[in-house]
Amino acid sequence: MTTPIDIVSIGMVTAVGLDAPSACAAMRARLDGFQETRFVGSPAGWLTGAPVPLPRNWIGAKRIAHLAGGAISEAFETVPQAREQTALILCLSEEDRPGRPVRDNSALLRRISEIVEIKPHLRSRIVAHGRPSGHIAFDQARRLIASGEAPYVMIAGVDSYLTGPTISHYLSQGRLLTADNSNGFIPGEAAAAVLCTRSERGVLRLFGLGLSREEASIYNKQDLPLQADGMTAAYSAAFRETGIEMTRLGYRIADLIGEQYWFKQTALASIRLLRGRHEFQDLWSPAESLGNIGAAAVPTMVGMAWTAAAKGYAAGNPVLIEASSDTGACGAAVFAARRKA
């Protein structure tokens, strides 16, 4: 059986707040960071996006490094003893995504370490699979912690869709929300970090994790019908590890970036696994406030759940957090709030 790990602190840098408390409060209040960008979305006008209001107009890898550095620094504030013994798992966009703001992953890792003023840990690594990167990172983190290779693991996700080549690519694919396309997503950017360690009465504990792949991805070329086989398998694996059925779930947080495909996938996975009598299960999504934040999605969603549990406004317990990529990678994880002693 896999050893559970606890989330002991979090950090966020988003379009609706430059730290976790303000970002989570804004998302809870359904505020958003949407505004006109410098990109043309259609003949009708400018493209809507969700940029982070940083104090300086950094661009490219430097911007990404400062976004991540801010989130990681915040997560270290309440657990300063972890600074010298933490392995960093950095979640980034897919290597082949057009307009990816990071060209050298290792250089980015070094730059972030300099900003945060920590020495790179031997076990630090990159996970570059876009939105579900966080689920893969959690799988790696619990192995590192269980083996004793690192007493703490910082999972940080950072991403930006607000680059010229990225915007051009997704506009050409008909994927962005514009005046003449309602079935699209709003490009955003964000960074979030969660600090994990062996069980020590943290606010939130990871109990189960599932990883799978959807053959009928949004880009599948065989025109396969979407039955959510991948997400259903990811849900099932997470529930098996946790030792519960879906009826016991309190609520869900999903990276529903805006297109109909993702809502359908989530709905189908739920319909296929939810049997018998159950309480209402609410569904939250950071995309309602931040748009599509790519690889920052899972740490952001875990931060939302952590804050909700800490402040007592969670929509239930436990919570399932899901994410999936354009190429069909699916991840699901079950977290539960710890009872206070």
Side-chain angles (χ1 to χ4, degrees):
M1 186 174 177
T2 307
T3 304
I5 58 174
D6 281 6
I7 311 303
V8 290
S9 65
I10 64 169
M12 289 186 193
V13 178
T14 75
V16 294
L18 299 181
D19 57 40
S22 58
C24 288
M27 287 188 281
R28 186 187 181 194
R30 301 293 178 91
L31 302 178
D32 66 62
F34 304 149
Q35 62 184 64
E36 286 187 349
T37 67
R38 57 187 175 85
F39 302 106
V40 177
S42 68
W46 302 106
L47 183 74
T48 297
V52 175
L54 289 178
R56 295 186 188 176
N57 191 28
W58 292 301
I59 60 172
K62 188 172 185 179
R63 184 177 183 84
I64 292 294
H66 280 279
L67 286 169
I72 294 167
S73 295
E74 183 187 358
F76 273 136
E77 283 176 7
T78 54
V79 194
Q81 68 271 23
R83 295 182 69 90
E84 303 302 319
Q85 46 187 339
T86 296
L88 172 62
I89 303 181
L90 187 62
C91 301
L92 300 175
S93 59
E94 302 88 340
E95 296 277 4
D96 59 351
R97 196 178 81 197
R100 187 177 194 261
V102 178
R103 294 182 180 178
D104 187 333
N105 293 344
S106 298
L108 177 67
L109 203 57
R110 289 193 299 271
R111 179 176 277 182
I112 291 171
S113 296
E114 291 168 4
I115 292 171
V116 182
E117 297 181 343
I118 56 171
K119 293 179 181 178
H121 193 281
L122 289 174
R123 298 299 179 186
S124 293
R125 61 193 67 179
I126 301 285
V127 178
H129 295 286
R131 290 192 300 279
S133 295
H135 287 101
I136 299 165
F138 271 109
D139 190 39
Q140 296 180 2
R142 61 185 184 176
R143 294 174 195 275
L144 286 172
I145 291 169
S147 67
E149 294 175 83
Y152 292 92
V153 176
M154 181 75 76
I155 296 175
V158 60
D159 209 342
S160 177
Y161 280 78
L162 294 168
T163 70
T166 298
I167 295 297
S168 296
H169 170 73
Y170 287 105
L171 275 175
S172 69
Q173 298 282 325
R175 297 280 310 276
L176 298 186
L177 183 68
T178 62
D180 48 13
N181 179 30
S182 60
N183 184 27
F185 67 80
I186 293 174
E189 61 181 4
V194 294
L195 184 62
C196 313
T197 190
R198 194 179 294 274
S199 176
E200 60 167 44
R201 307 303 294 174
V203 173
L204 202 67
R205 175 178 281 188
L206 170 64
F207 279 99
L209 181 68
L211 301 170
S212 188
R213 181 161 293 279
E214 175 60 57
E215 294 299 324
S217 70
I218 196 168
Y219 284 137
N220 93 82
K221 295 176 181 176
Q222 288 97 10
D223 289 327
L224 298 172
L226 176 62
Q227 297 177 321
D229 292 334
M231 189 58 77
T232 301
Y235 273 33
S236 297
F239 288 134
R240 275 196 307 273
E241 270 197 8
T242 308
I244 65 170
E245 294 185 356
M246 191 166 176
T247 51
R248 290 269 309 280
L249 199 63
Y251 71 113
R252 289 180 290 165
I253 309 179
D255 62 330
L256 303 174
I257 60 173
E259 295 158 297
Q260 295 171 7
Y261 175 93
W262 312 107
F263 290 93
K264 184 178 179 182
Q265 176 179 253
T266 296
L268 286 171
S270 175
I271 289 168
R272 291 178 60 177
L273 292 177
L274 210 47
R275 297 285 182 268
R277 184 184 178 280
H278 60 88
E279 300 297 325
F280 170 72
Q281 295 177 355
D282 206 355
L283 180 61
W284 298 0
S285 176
E288 294 178 10
S289 296
L290 308 177
N292 185 359
I293 54 172
V298 172
T300 297
M301 292 188 286
V302 174
M304 291 169 69
W306 189 92
T307 303
K311 293 188 176 294
Y313 65 82
N317 193 36
V319 55
L320 182 138
I321 291 173
E322 68 167 80
S324 54
S325 74
D326 293 352
T327 55
C330 297
V334 176
F335 294 83
R338 302 293 305 278
R339 286 187 172 87
K340 294 180 181 178

